[in-house]
Amino acid sequence: MSEIPETASTVVWQSSPPGSIYDYIKVASFSIGPDGLVDQWSRRAIDLFGITADEVRGKDPVEVFMPAEWRPRGHRHVAEILDGKEWTGLVPFRMPGAGGAHGIAEVYVMPSETESGDRAALCIVVDVRALRRIETDLAASQAIFGQSPFGFLLFGTDLTVQRTNQRFATVFGGTSDDHRGRTVHDYLSRAEADRMTASLRRVLETGESAIDLQIVGAAPGSTDRRHWSINLYRVHSGSGRPIGVAGIGTDVTRRHIAAREAANARRNLALLNEASARIGNSLDLETTARELLDVAVPGFCDLASVDLCQGLLSGDEAPPGRWGSPHSEGYGGGSAELRRVAFASAVSDAPLLATPGCSPEGGAPIAVGAVHRYAFNSPCAKALRAARVQSIPGEDGSLVQSTLAVPMVAHDTVVGLVQFSRTKGSEPFGERDLALAVELAARAAVCMDNARLYRREHERALILQRSLLPPGDPEAAGLDIACRYLPGNTATEVGGDWFDVIELPGHRTALVVGDVMGRGLRAAVAMGELRTAVRTLALLDLEPAEVLSALDEIARGLGTPSGAQQASRVAHKSRDADLSEVYLATCVYAVYDPVTRRCTFANAGHLPPVLVEPGEEALLLDVPPGMPLGVGGEPFEEVEVELAEDALLALYTDGLVESRDHPLDEGLRAFRAALTDPVRPLEDVCDHVLNTLDTRHGEDDIALLMARIQGLPVDAVGDWRLPREPRSVGRARELARAQLVTWDLEALVDTVELLVSELVTNALRYGEGEIRLRLLRDRTLVCEVWDAGLVQPRRRRARDTDEGGRGLQLVGLLSAAWGSRRTPRGKTVWFELALPDGDSTAEPTVEQLLSMF
């Protein structure tokens, strides 16, 4: 039984439930009468010895319990007890149901008296083995409890501390007894204490253990946050009655820090992986800056901004990032000029980033797009100047907890500054974060520097490309011309397709479209070389087939390193083969004469021209394709076609009609269909073709050259045949004078008469056959004199004693241009004069005229 005193005068009695301490230590009692025989036998004695009261009452206890060899000694002790002597000793006994096994009982014998005054005895018996087992258990429990490296608490049913071990007392101060009666609110913050109390109550009520309950707090006298892992389980008495909750606490701060560092490392690796995938997808600087901030916010920081050097954005040739002394030229007393190109925030309604000590004049935050400078001694300027990270703490009352000012360095060049900031309440930046910030900024810097280098090379390539194409809208006599050029590589805008419009003598025009096999800058260089060769050959006034034959020889020469020995060519066969492949090209060369409206074509492996005559469907001209330029070995054929007035001629490259998604024939049909309405303005026709066809722009270069045939009016041509006789010189002067008067070009009469007289005289003197004189008026005046002689005129300087030889010198001096060309049946010598309302050629001075004599 147990009792709990409530007051000094009140005692509450309670029956001892099964499983009390007496059951554990196996305590029993019996009594011996004056005759030395058992007269009372308790129920616990029955359980201990396994003998009923009827079996032992009135019998000698020595005979009943003790082995035979111990009985004489036992009788002596019983006699002494009945004489009034107390006795305590160990007595062996036979254990019930143990197959004759013996137990050892500790017997406490106390003399007593009966009502008649006779001597008797009361015996208390304890099972020694059970007692020793309890002592061992208590000792083991005390050792485990006291020597455990983990903090141990035992809470009572009222959730107050009943007992703690020394480890707990060492952490929280005092001795173990000092903590008795406390609650968890004495150790933890209110929020954590409430959470712990709720867990204790739940364990006490349900009996379900709480495993690895994470509690955060600080030990007394310390501000360091500690992390504990708490395991709670309910404790019962021997009868199964809950008597409290036991708690074992383990300090897992290091494990928590290690886990946090591992999580941060994983996060940083994930951010770097994301940065590799997302930063640098564009060659635009502002886009790259935004990609950097998209990765950093909110995964790495709460606020971030990017400032780039103004020189980097403006495309200066000098490398950006010139950080000198505060007095250096261009420094402005602080950092070089920067432009804020990007800002990102994970905090709602957060202001623009204003780093302490790094605000521009006036202290206002820097808006995106603003050009600014940092003060010389500001942390941001120091970061730029030293090319090292600056850690900047936040100010009191500021949203920002800390900032990392990280210079963006690429190839030892500072191109800008990125600032990463974390707001108050976020985890402070650590060493790993600093390394990650540098890595993120460096990756973005390399991408931006690559974009700068690309832009520089791109601009150079564009200059090259544009220099190789006809400037503006080309003009030609008797032709209305429109053209389009779309490079296949939209990133570089450089390709190997080209077109050209070349003015030839006699108001004729050469139309050229070509396609170098390959792409990019190398193809553009090859195209430029071939285009230059075409223009040179065209100015020699060769026939179209002759131009392509000469161009084929040039292309093969371009593809072979000059001066290389045969052995060297063999040793570098593969490299030379690659060069030759680059210079393979296709080309269409056409010469149009506006007087006759006839056009002569020659084709080197190119797609056939398309002709649309008024009221007719578009058709492909049957021009023999020939072999591509650079192959060699095959002659080129010519085809002459008479073109109707207002007919439409289209020359193009395969990028316009050929694609991976449809065959060439289908593209050609679509192209011809897009030209069925050629009446509209020529520029509109070009736009309609490009918008209608599925060109898949980006797969290949596209060049389109379109010409509407107009021809020279009949009244703009004067054409006469003269007999081969001296009087034809005068007749030629008369015809020329009359024609110029008809054209209202009296200002040119004297010059033309003089030059015509010289050319006709030369034809009579050095030429053969009939003489033909022709005057053509368009944007300029052209005079041509034909004869059947094959000897080309040659300009030379006459000696002082020579009576002649100054005719061609005079022609060269008085005309804007002159020359000669072969014809199928002789040659043509011509000169050209500007019209009076144009840029007329200045009259020769007396000194110039006298210098010829």
Side-chain angles (χ1 to χ4, degrees):
M1 299 178 63
S2 62
E3 54 188 39
I4 303 175
E6 294 184 351
T7 65
S9 59
T10 303
V11 176
V12 176
W13 296 86
Q14 176 180 316
S15 299
S16 179
S20 67
I21 188 63
Y22 300 107
D23 290 327
Y24 283 106
I25 62 177
K26 294 185 178 180
V27 178
S29 66
F30 63 92
S31 62
I32 301 175
D35 55 359
L37 302 178
V38 177
D39 59 358
Q40 291 183 0
W41 191 255
S42 68
R43 291 183 179 179
R44 288 187 177 271
I46 296 174
D47 296 335
L48 177 62
F49 297 107
I51 302 174
T52 65
D54 294 338
E55 292 175 336
V56 72
R57 190 180 294 119
K59 294 184 179 180
D60 185 349
V62 175
E63 298 293 334
V64 174
F65 303 116
M66 299 184 67
E69 62 273 17
W70 292 91
R71 289 174 186 172
R73 193 174 181 183
H75 286 300
R76 276 198 315 272
H77 286 302
V78 171
E80 292 175 355
I81 292 169
L82 293 178
D83 287 339
K85 184 179 179 181
E86 291 186 1
W87 181 83
T88 299
L90 297 178
V91 178
F93 67 93
R94 289 188 295 271
M95 298 177 63
H102 290 79
I104 298 177
E106 188 171 7
V107 182
Y108 299 89
V109 182
M110 295 170 286
S112 62
E113 293 182 358
T114 63
E115 293 179 357
S116 60
D118 295 329
R119 300 288 182 97
L122 175 63
C123 300
I124 303 298
V125 182
V126 179
D127 188 343
V128 174
R129 292 187 177 181
L131 189 62
R132 297 293 181 268
R133 186 168 58 249
I134 292 174
E135 291 176 348
T136 302
D137 290 346
L138 288 175
S141 176
Q142 180 61 30
I144 294 173
F145 181 80
Q147 300 172 17
S148 172
F150 309 114
F152 184 90
L153 300 92
L154 179 62
F155 296 92
T157 55
D158 59 352
L159 304 185
T160 61
V161 177
Q162 300 297 312
R163 189 176 180 187
T164 66
N165 67 350
Q166 186 58 40
R167 175 61 179 171
F168 182 86
T170 301
V171 175
F172 288 93
T175 64
S176 297
D177 293 338
D178 295 335
H179 296 277
R180 194 182 304 275
R182 293 184 181 180
T183 67
V184 292
H185 286 83
D186 295 317
Y187 307 104
L188 302 174
S189 64
R190 181 173 181 178
E192 292 291 87
D194 290 344
R195 194 161 65 90
M196 180 76 170
T197 300
S199 297
L200 287 169
R201 186 170 289 110
R202 184 167 55 253
V203 171
L204 185 62
E205 292 174 354
T206 64
E208 296 180 359
S209 301
I211 306 299
D212 197 20
L213 177 64
Q214 297 294 316
I215 298 295
V216 180
S222 174
T223 58
D224 295 338
R225 289 164 56 91
R226 311 297 296 178
H227 295 261
W228 291 286
S229 173
I230 307 297
N231 296 318
L232 302 176
Y233 59 94
R234 191 168 68 182
V235 180
H236 306 84
S237 67
S239 62
R241 175 173 57 87
I243 61 174
V245 177
I248 300 176
T250 305
D251 190 335
V252 294
T253 304
R254 291 185 178 179
R255 186 175 70 187
H256 180 80
I257 294 174
R260 183 177 61 192
E261 290 181 351
N264 289 341
R266 288 193 296 270
R267 181 203 63 185
N268 292 353
L269 288 175
L271 281 173
L272 288 177
N273 183 59
E274 185 181 5
S276 300
R278 297 181 61 180
I279 298 177
N281 293 322
S282 169
L283 290 172
D284 180 74
L285 299 177
E286 288 83 353
T287 302
T288 302
R290 288 192 295 270
E291 290 170 346
L292 169 61
L293 298 194
D294 288 342
V295 172
V297 179
F300 176 67
C301 61
D302 302 315
L303 300 166
S305 69
V306 177
D307 298 324
L308 294 182
C309 299
Q310 182 67 2
L312 179 71
L313 296 166
S314 59
D316 292 345
E317 280 296 320
R322 181 171 175 232
W323 318 104
S325 68
H327 306 293
S328 62
E329 182 182 355
Y331 201 82
S335 71
E337 281 192 340
L338 300 167
R339 185 191 301 174
R340 175 66 51 85
V341 295
F343 173 80
S345 171
V347 182
S348 59
D349 300 328
L352 295 176
L353 183 64
T355 303
C358 289
S359 298
E361 294 183 5
I366 304 170
V368 175
V371 178
H372 61 93
R373 298 175 185 268
Y374 289 119
F376 180 78
N377 291 322
S378 65
C380 291
K382 291 179 181 178
L384 292 168
R385 196 162 52 247
R388 298 186 64 179
V389 182
Q390 296 289 318
S391 181
I392 309 171
E395 296 178 339
D396 294 339
S398 171
L399 173 71
V400 176
Q401 178 195 74
S402 61
T403 298
L404 294 178
V406 186
M408 306 176 71
V409 183
H411 309 300
D412 298 328
T413 299
V414 178
V415 299
L417 182 75
V418 57
Q419 298 179 55
F420 302 108
S421 297
R422 289 182 179 174
T423 57
K424 292 182 177 177
S426 298
E427 185 177 348
F429 288 115
E431 289 298 324
R432 293 181 183 271
D433 296 326
L434 189 145
L436 176 62
V438 172
E439 180 65 23
L440 289 176
R443 294 196 179 199
V446 170
C447 294
M448 291 177 179
D449 194 54
N450 289 340
R452 177 181 69 88
L453 296 175
Y454 160 77
R455 182 172 59 188
R456 184 183 67 185
E457 297 304 321
H458 180 213
E459 290 174 353
R460 292 175 179 176
L462 282 181
I463 293 173
L464 170 64
Q465 181 78 54
R466 291 165 182 167
S467 67
L468 297 178
L469 296 175
D473 296 326
E475 295 182 355
L479 293 175
D480 182 15
I481 295 177
C483 51
R484 295 290 186 274
Y485 177 79
L486 298 176
N489 189 341
T490 56
T492 61
E493 300 184 15
V494 175
D497 289 12
W498 90 92
F499 65 90
D500 209 346
V501 179
I502 307 171
E503 293 186 57
L504 299 178
H507 287 315
R508 293 171 305 134
T509 303
L511 303 177
V512 188
V513 167
D515 183 0
V516 175
M517 295 183 184
R519 294 188 188 182
L521 186 59
R522 195 174 185 186
V525 171
M527 175 267 284
E529 293 176 316
L530 292 178
R531 177 179 178 269
T532 302
V534 169
R535 294 189 69 86
T536 302
L537 294 171
L539 294 178
L540 295 177
D541 213 354
L542 302 176
E543 296 297 323
E546 293 177 327
V547 170
L548 292 186
S549 296
L551 192 62
D552 177 59
E553 293 291 335
I554 293 173
R556 282 189 288 165
L558 291 175
T560 303
S562 61
Q565 300 298 324
Q566 182 66 29
S568 176
R569 285 198 296 267
V570 172
H572 298 84
K573 181 178 180 181
S574 60
R575 186 187 65 185
D576 294 348
D578 292 340
L579 292 172
S580 300
E581 183 179 0
V582 169
Y583 285 96
L584 288 176
T586 62
C587 180
V588 168
Y589 184 86
V591 175
Y592 171 68
D593 188 341
V595 179
T596 61
R597 293 201 312 276
R598 300 186 70 83
C599 189
T600 304
F601 296 91
N603 190 350
H606 204 80
L607 294 172
V610 175
L611 178 65
V612 187
E613 295 189 341
E616 302 291 339
E617 293 184 355
L619 57 89
L620 298 176
L621 292 178
D622 187 13
V623 180
M627 299 298 292
L629 301 175
V631 175
E634 293 292 333
F636 297 96
E637 299 182 39
E638 292 181 359
V639 173
E640 187 176 64
V641 179
E642 184 174 353
L643 306 178
E645 189 76 15
D646 292 328
L648 187 65
L649 178 65
L651 306 179
Y652 53 94
T653 57
D654 57 358
L656 182 69
V657 295
E658 191 174 19
S659 171
R660 289 192 295 264
D661 297 335
H662 58 73
L664 177 60
D665 291 344
E666 182 179 333
L668 289 173
R669 283 195 298 270
F671 180 38
R672 292 166 57 192
L675 295 174
T676 53
D677 184 16
V679 180
R680 69 179 72 184
L682 200 55
E683 293 289 337
D684 294 344
V685 175
C686 285
D687 294 336
H688 175 70
V689 168
L690 295 178
N691 293 332
T692 301
L693 296 184
D694 185 13
T695 59
R696 301 287 180 182
H697 180 47
E699 292 184 3
D700 197 2
D701 306 331
I702 295 175
L704 175 62
L705 176 61
M706 304 188 74
R708 177 168 284 127
I709 306 302
Q710 294 174 345
L712 286 182
V714 175
D715 59 1
V717 178
D719 194 354
W720 306 276
R721 297 182 182 274
L722 302 173
R724 189 171 185 79
E725 55 188 29
R727 64 178 181 175
S728 294
V729 177
R731 177 61 178 165
R733 287 197 299 268
E734 294 173 0
L735 294 173
R737 181 189 311 112
Q739 186 65 65
L740 293 178
V741 171
T742 304
W743 287 340
D744 295 326
L745 297 178
E746 289 87 350
L748 299 179
V749 169
D750 292 341
T751 301
V752 171
E753 279 189 332
L754 177 60
L755 299 185
V756 166
S757 177
E758 290 293 336
L759 294 185
V760 172
T761 299
N762 283 343
L764 288 173
R765 181 177 298 178
Y766 305 108
E768 297 178 8
E770 187 181 38
I771 300 172
R772 184 179 177 184
L773 171 66
R774 188 168 73 170
L775 295 180
L776 306 175
R777 187 197 67 182
D778 192 67
R779 290 176 291 117
T780 60
L781 177 69
V782 173
C783 176
E784 298 177 332
V785 175
W786 298 0
D787 69 78
L790 298 177
V791 178
Q792 297 290 321
R794 182 173 60 87
R795 183 177 177 178
R796 64 182 180 87
R797 175 173 291 276
R799 292 185 296 239
D800 294 343
T801 57
D802 290 344
E803 297 182 359
R806 297 177 178 85
L808 292 182
Q809 284 185 265
L810 188 63
V811 173
L813 181 64
L814 297 180
S815 65
W818 78 277
S820 67
R821 67 177 183 275
R822 291 182 300 167
T823 64
R825 291 182 298 274
K827 66 177 181 298
T828 299
V829 183
W830 58 271
F831 66 84
E832 183 176 0
L833 295 174
L835 299 181
D837 56 350
D839 295 332
S840 59
T841 304
E843 291 291 336
T845 65
V846 175
E847 289 76 8
Q848 289 176 321
L849 291 174
L850 291 177
S851 67
M852 296 185 297
F853 297 93

